[in-house]
Amino acid sequence: MSFISVEQTCDFSYHNLPYGIFSTADNPKHRIGVAIGDQILDLSVVKSLFGGPVLSKHQDVFDQPTLNAFMALGYDAWKEARRTLQVLLSANESTLKDDISLRSRAFVHQTAATMHLPADIGDYTDFYSSRDHAVNVGTMFRGKENALMPNWLRLPVGYHGRASSVVVSGTPIRRPSGQMRPDQTKPPVFGPSKQLDIELEMAFFVGGGNQLGEPIPISRAHEHIFGMVLMNDWSARDIQSWEYVPLGPFLGKNFGTTISPWVVPMEALLPFVEPNPIQDPEPLAYLQHTDAYTFNINLFVSLKGELMTEAVNICRSNFKYMYWTVKQQLAHHTVNGCNLRPGDLLASGTISGPDPETFGSMLELSWRGSKHIDLGGGNTRTFLNDGDEAILTGYCQGAGYRVGFGSCRGTIIPALQH
């Protein structure tokens, strides 16, 4: 255990140790921190203590304003850093615990910190890997018999999103305007989206990349997956439904994507691994792996209207409901020789389970606006109102501890007047 006190229900236990980028009022420089309890360990202050065979030559990565350089060092460096942190924060290790001067400089209370995007995100890909979600949406738009497209059970379907509009938790999201066609007998109209939605997702950061033309085999995919965050991939359903044929989402998606600030290392998630879903038909050889890489991560979505005093839960889901694993997503992304780079972000797609309370979007919860979502006190929604705050949280539950992600939140502000 650690000499830092951690409540049993705190997301940031000694078993977690996620990485993030923070600044403070008295030091506006962006720097790398590790969360434990209600504290942040400033790695730029303790960088000289990373004396292992890999990091002793690269201590400067902990002086950078993003995680990209650290991610680029690769799998062995990440494992070495985690081992060092576990030792430094251990109750039995005096180096940090008993040096009062060093401790006073190295730790920052989380309430005193401003969080920033963890990485310079060069590229962002969004997959569509929840079978329950794909069936639900397909049923709404094409009917139950044609819910899944012929390729869906054969490969992890995905599209390239917009990296420039990925923002950190807490950033307001402006209601987008665009073309819509609410009446199919009339021409399209322009205006603010009336069907603004959340999407409960998770995403992983690519660590070490690959050379152009050289795929990453699935047997080594784990060496390129740095860690995971929560994601809300905001969606304007009315804009999306008019524009997406034949090339897929565009303005209905690229106006904003929110991620949580703390990147949970894959090593912290491994104790919560579960058997992979049975995939029938059997995937092609390049997508096959026998090792378990599906994770039991409890996920929640809450909504707080502008005049509501507290947020109300509208979804309880789990990452274990995913059909395609993150290893399969990464292997498929690179099988054609596409080069991934440190800091690239690959998202799961909306995470829905088999039951209505596990549906990860308001599109599903309201079944395309045909049902009201009850928020209590006479408040209901089908889609988001201006002033609504959406809050995503998630954690793995251990024996007396959690490995959690903090929160991923954003508030809708009104569309600009055109």
Side-chain angles (χ1 to χ4, degrees):
M1 287 296 102
S2 175
F3 61 85
I4 300 293
S5 177
V6 181
E7 298 287 338
Q8 288 193 1
T9 56
C10 176
D11 280 350
F12 307 123
S13 66
Y14 176 70
H15 303 273
N16 190 347
L17 306 183
Y19 297 96
I21 300 296
F22 76 102
S23 63
T24 51
D26 62 344
N27 183 359
K29 177 186 175 184
H30 291 199
R31 49 209 195 269
I32 298 175
V34 168
I36 181 166
D38 58 7
Q39 302 291 311
I40 299 173
L41 176 62
D42 186 340
L43 298 195
S44 70
V45 174
V46 297
K47 64 180 183 178
S48 64
L49 301 180
F50 289 85
V54 179
L55 291 171
S56 60
K57 307 182 190 75
H58 299 285
Q59 292 172 349
D60 60 310
V61 298
F62 298 122
D63 253 337
Q64 304 304 309
T66 67
L67 288 168
N68 294 66
F70 176 45
M71 290 172 170
L73 290 180
Y75 188 65
D76 290 340
W78 314 336
K79 293 185 72 172
E80 184 181 296
R82 183 169 174 82
R83 287 195 301 269
T84 301
L85 287 166
Q86 287 172 330
V87 170
L88 287 174
L89 292 168
S90 167
N92 301 319
E93 172 61 36
S94 63
T95 304
L96 192 53
K97 181 181 72 169
D98 295 342
D99 189 329
I100 303 303
S101 173
L102 181 58
R103 276 184 66 168
S104 67
R105 290 181 287 115
F107 285 101
V108 173
H109 200 281
Q110 288 188 29
T111 56
T114 299
M115 300 305 298
H116 307 280
L117 282 176
D120 181 7
I121 302 168
D123 281 295
Y124 156 49
T125 300
D126 194 19
F127 285 94
Y128 189 52
S129 293
S130 162
R131 183 172 185 170
D132 292 297
H133 174 69
V135 167
N136 287 341
V137 175
T139 299
M140 285 181 218
F141 289 93
R142 293 185 298 274
K144 194 169 185 178
E145 298 74 21
N146 300 304
L148 288 182
M149 300 299 282
N151 63 356
W152 201 94
L153 294 171
R154 297 287 185 176
L155 55 85
V157 172
Y159 73 96
H160 291 289
R162 183 71 186 175
S164 66
S165 53
V166 178
V167 296
V168 73
S169 176
T171 305
I173 298 295
R174 186 173 297 281
R175 181 178 296 273
S177 294
Q179 279 195 37
M180 299 157 284
R181 196 180 184 185
D183 187 337
Q184 298 304 306
T185 66
K186 297 179 180 178
V189 297
F190 178 87
S193 170
K194 294 180 174 63
Q195 296 181 353
L196 187 53
D197 199 357
I198 56 99
E199 285 190 342
L200 170 62
E201 302 197 24
M202 297 196 71
F204 68 87
F205 277 100
V206 174
N210 59 306
Q211 294 298 312
L212 182 66
E214 299 180 8
I216 298 172
I218 200 162
S219 60
R220 301 194 66 179
H222 64 284
E223 298 176 10
H224 297 263
I225 301 172
F226 178 77
M228 299 192 73
V229 293
L230 300 171
M231 171 183 282
N232 184 353
D233 193 26
W234 308 88
S235 299
R237 301 298 184 185
D238 40 8
I239 296 173
Q240 181 183 353
S241 63
W242 168 234
E243 74 178 0
Y244 83 103
V245 177
L247 292 182
F250 188 35
L251 302 186
K253 293 277 194 177
N254 67 6
F255 59 92
T257 300
T258 303
I259 63 171
S260 53
W262 294 106
V263 187
V264 176
M266 299 311 295
E267 201 168 347
L269 298 175
L270 287 177
F272 307 97
V273 76
E274 295 207 351
N276 301 325
I278 296 171
Q279 295 180 328
D280 183 20
E282 184 179 74
L284 297 179
Y286 78 94
L287 289 170
Q288 293 179 18
H289 68 97
T290 56
D291 57 313
Y293 217 70
T294 294
F295 300 97
N296 184 354
I297 305 172
N298 301 296
L299 297 169
F300 308 89
V301 181
S302 296
L303 206 58
K304 184 178 181 292
E306 194 168 20
L307 300 179
M308 293 169 57
T309 56
E310 58 184 26
V312 172
N313 179 269
I314 61 171
C315 167
R316 299 173 185 270
S317 196
N318 197 296
F319 191 64
K320 68 183 179 183
Y321 295 137
M322 301 306 292
Y323 185 84
W324 296 102
T325 71
V326 294
K327 283 190 175 187
Q328 290 173 316
Q329 290 169 344
L330 184 119
H332 183 66
H333 202 311
T334 67
V335 73
N336 66 341
C338 173
N339 57 319
L340 297 177
R341 295 173 294 186
D344 283 356
L345 190 65
L346 276 61
S348 62
T350 305
I351 302 163
S352 294
D355 305 312
E357 63 268 21
T358 63
F359 293 171
S361 68
M362 296 175 78
L363 177 70
E364 296 165 274
L365 291 166
S366 73
W367 206 255
R368 205 180 177 185
S370 65
K371 299 188 293 188
H372 288 290
I373 303 166
D374 184 14
L375 301 182
N379 295 297
T380 62
R381 295 288 187 277
T382 51
F383 294 98
L384 292 168
N385 288 353
D386 290 347
D388 284 352
E389 181 183 31
I391 306 156
L392 279 56
T393 54
Y395 62 85
C396 305
Q397 184 63 59
Y401 70 92
R402 286 180 179 177
V403 171
F405 293 81
S407 65
C408 173
R409 57 179 68 214
T411 300
I412 302 302
I413 58 176
L416 291 175
Q417 296 300 312
H418 289 270

